[in-house]
């Protein structure tokens, strides 16, 4: 076991034993290497560094109650990476290769996998695909390098299920109407940083973006999807510029399984006042409940409309959904959906 205080982990980087790396050159992937050095030997002219030819994934490995090691829906991450790579015009690993490399990465770094008892902790896997050949011309990279990195992590902000305050950025967008918003490319994050930094300075944990073409409907947060709950309904926005969150798709299925009504449709801003619970969802924490949601005519203004949900703790319906997903991941609940992929050690 690594010498780690599992209860103190945050969502930050801890050096592990190895990272895995392979490069697509001349029509084939080179044999997968395990590197103990996490500093890359990369051309300074690599397309990733100049033209943001980069996409990534995030998924977690868990130590379950029965001692097994589990991945949650890794084939969904493999398919999403392939979709992002296709958008960028670069080669991506097959689903089988992606999952096999995820499993090998877990095996080689097994002492960094938090024990079952460490609530909220897991081994976070970061598959990363970059255009790596030297280039100056603007074009999709011919050579792509695929890596899997990993780090033990705890709750993303504060503790899991601590409610946060968030702000709508009306005068900023993270995505364009027919742009790259629905692909998991690093460039989208670069585009969200300016508004996120301003929001952070004002004490908000996240930024909520509206649909970039009409600015009348809810899109998503800077790094997580939006959901609202009213009565027995789970409501989440439908939009071309939203990143298709695997957590959100899973919550929709779990909500229906638990007898809730699920609506994926356009969510007008006016509807914010009608929700009883609102949350962010994503792999990092599954659900982050939103306490105060602040709408301003522009981010830098003092004028504001405040929507308040609950009392600063996670609402009962969100908690039920959270417990189901984390129960599946930790092997406390039988998996009715076939979402769990066991890592043979
Ligand atoms: C990765 C990501 C999410 C969450 O997706 P999950 O598959 O649930 O982790 C949401 N929004 C954006 C912009 C993302 O990049």
């Amino acid at each position: 076991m690594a010498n780690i205080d599992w209860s103190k982990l945050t969502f930050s980087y801890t050096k592990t034993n190895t990272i895995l790396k392979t490069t697509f050159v001349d029509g084939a992937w080179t044999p997968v290497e395990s590197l103990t050095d996490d500093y890359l030997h990369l051309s300074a002219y690599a397309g990733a560094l100049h033209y943001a030819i980069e996409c990534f994934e995030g998924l977690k490995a868990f130590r379950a109650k029965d001692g097994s090691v589990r991945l949650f829906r890794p084939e969904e991450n493999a398919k999403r990476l392939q979709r992002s790579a296709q958008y960028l015009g670069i080669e991506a690993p097959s689903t089988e290769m992606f999952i096999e490399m995820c499993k090998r990465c877990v095996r080689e770094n097994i002492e960094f996998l938090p024990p079952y008892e460490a609530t909220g902790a897991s081994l976070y896997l970061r598959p990363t695909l970059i255009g790596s050949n030297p280039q100056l011309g603007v074009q999709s990279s011919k050579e792509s390098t695929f890596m899997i990195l990993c780090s033990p992590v705890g709750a993303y902000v504060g503790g899991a299920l601590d409610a946060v305050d968030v702000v709508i950025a009306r005068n900023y967008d993270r995505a364009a109407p027919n742009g790259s918003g629905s692909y998991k490319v690093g460039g989208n994050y670069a585009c969200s940083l300016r508004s996120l930094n301003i929001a952070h300075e004002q004490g908000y944990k996240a930024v909520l973006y509206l649909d970039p073409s009409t600015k009348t409907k809810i899109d998503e947060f800077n790094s997580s999807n939006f959901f609202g709950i009213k009565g027995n309904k789970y409501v989440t926005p439908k939009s071309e510029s939203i990143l298709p969150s695997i957590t959100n798709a899973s919550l929709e299925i779990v909500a229906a399984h638990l007898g809730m009504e699920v609506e994926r449709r356009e969510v007008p801003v006016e509807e914010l006042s009608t929700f009883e619970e609102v949350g962010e969802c994503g792999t990092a924490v599954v659900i982050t409940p939103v306490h105060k949601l602040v709408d301003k005519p522009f981010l830098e203004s003092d004028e504001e409309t405040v929507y308040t949900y609950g009392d600063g703790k996670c609402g009962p319906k969100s908690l039920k959904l959270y417990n189901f997903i984390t129960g599946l991941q930790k092997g406390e609940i039988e998996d009715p959906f076939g979402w769990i992929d066991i890592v043979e050690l």
Side-chain angles (χ1 to χ4, degrees):
M1 274 277 176
N3 186 20
I4 292 172
D5 184 347
W6 305 108
S7 66
K8 294 235 164 62
L9 286 173
T10 57
F11 195 81
S12 59
Y13 160 76
T14 301
K15 169 94 173 72
T16 53
N17 293 334
T18 57
I19 67 171
L20 303 188
K21 178 172 168 269
T22 172
T23 302
F24 188 83
V25 268
D26 301 330
W29 293 97
T30 59
V32 177
E33 292 175 89
S34 299
L35 308 175
T36 53
D37 186 357
D38 55 350
Y39 284 73
L40 296 173
H41 183 72
L42 179 72
S43 169
Y45 297 87
L49 298 176
H50 303 273
Y51 307 129
I53 306 170
E54 191 271 353
C55 54
F56 66 99
E57 279 301 323
L59 70 162
K60 287 175 165 181
F62 302 89
R63 178 72 75 173
K65 198 173 181 185
D66 63 3
S68 66
V69 178
R70 304 168 156 226
L71 296 175
F72 186 71
R73 310 191 75 181
E75 67 283 4
E76 295 302 314
N77 296 92
K79 285 192 239 157
R80 193 168 62 184
L81 186 79
Q82 289 157 6
R83 197 175 152 267
S84 303
Q86 192 178 33
Y87 181 78
L88 296 172
I90 59 175
E91 190 72 22
S94 69
T95 303
E96 297 66 38
M97 178 177 164
F98 178 100
I99 295 176
E100 201 30 67
M101 280 177 69
C102 285
K103 291 181 174 176
R104 174 167 156 187
C105 188
V106 172
R107 282 194 284 269
E108 291 183 5
N109 294 287
I110 195 72
E111 69 262 39
F112 293 92
L113 179 76
Y116 166 70
E117 294 74 22
T119 307
S122 60
L123 185 68
Y124 181 77
L125 303 182
R126 169 53 63 86
T128 308
L129 183 67
I130 62 173
S132 51
N133 60 277
Q135 65 180 88
L136 277 180
V138 179
Q139 62 193 61
S140 293
S141 307
K142 290 181 191 64
E143 178 189 300
S144 57
T145 293
F146 178 57
M147 293 169 284
I148 300 199
L149 328 177
C150 70
S151 179
V153 296
Y156 188 40
V157 278
L161 295 178
D162 284 345
V164 299
D165 294 346
V166 302
V167 65
I168 294 180
R170 285 183 176 268
N171 54 325
Y172 294 93
D173 292 310
R174 67 171 276 282
N178 295 296
S180 60
S182 74
Y183 302 93
K184 208 166 178 72
V185 297
N188 290 343
Y189 279 72
C191 292
S192 72
L193 286 177
R194 171 112 179 106
S195 46
L196 186 62
N197 289 340
I198 296 170
H200 281 166
E201 277 166 31
Q202 298 178 0
Y204 300 106
K205 282 289 192 300
V207 171
L208 179 61
Y209 298 98
L210 303 184
D211 76 289
S213 50
T214 72
K215 310 289 282 190
T216 58
K217 294 163 281 186
I218 305 298
D219 243 12
E220 67 166 324
F221 296 96
N222 48 282
S223 60
S224 53
N225 275 186
F226 173 99
F227 70 89
I229 292 174
K230 51 177 149 187
N232 196 36
K233 272 191 199 142
Y234 180 93
V235 182
T236 194
K238 187 181 165 89
S239 159
E240 294 296 306
S241 46
I242 291 179
L243 194 285
S245 157
I246 296 163
T247 311
N248 197 7
S250 306
L251 285 167
E252 288 177 282
I253 293 168
V254 168
H257 180 75
L258 297 177
M260 294 179 79
E261 260 177 81
V262 174
E263 292 181 358
R264 184 181 281 260
R265 55 163 169 80
E266 292 182 345
V267 179
V269 179
E270 296 74 52
E271 199 175 345
L272 286 175
S273 62
T274 68
F275 293 117
E276 287 135 28
E277 299 177 29
V278 158
E280 294 183 53
C281 60
T283 295
V285 270
V286 184
I287 284 175
T288 304
V290 167
H291 180 43
K292 283 198 178 111
L293 199 165
V294 177
D295 189 7
K296 301 175 169 203
F298 56 101
L299 198 49
E300 296 80 357
S301 77
D302 294 329
E303 209 183 313
E304 60 183 38
T305 308
V306 182
Y307 304 94
T308 305
Y309 306 101
D311 54 4
K313 290 196 205 73
C314 189
K317 296 237 165 63
S318 301
L319 186 62
K320 212 169 144 191
L321 295 170
Y322 175 88
N323 285 337
F324 199 97
I325 298 264
T326 54
L328 281 179
Q329 292 171 332
K330 300 279 266 176
E332 292 152 352
I333 295 175
E334 210 46 51
D335 171 17
F337 310 116
W339 287 347
I340 297 301
D341 197 335
I342 304 279
V343 181
E344 307 293 344
L345 298 177

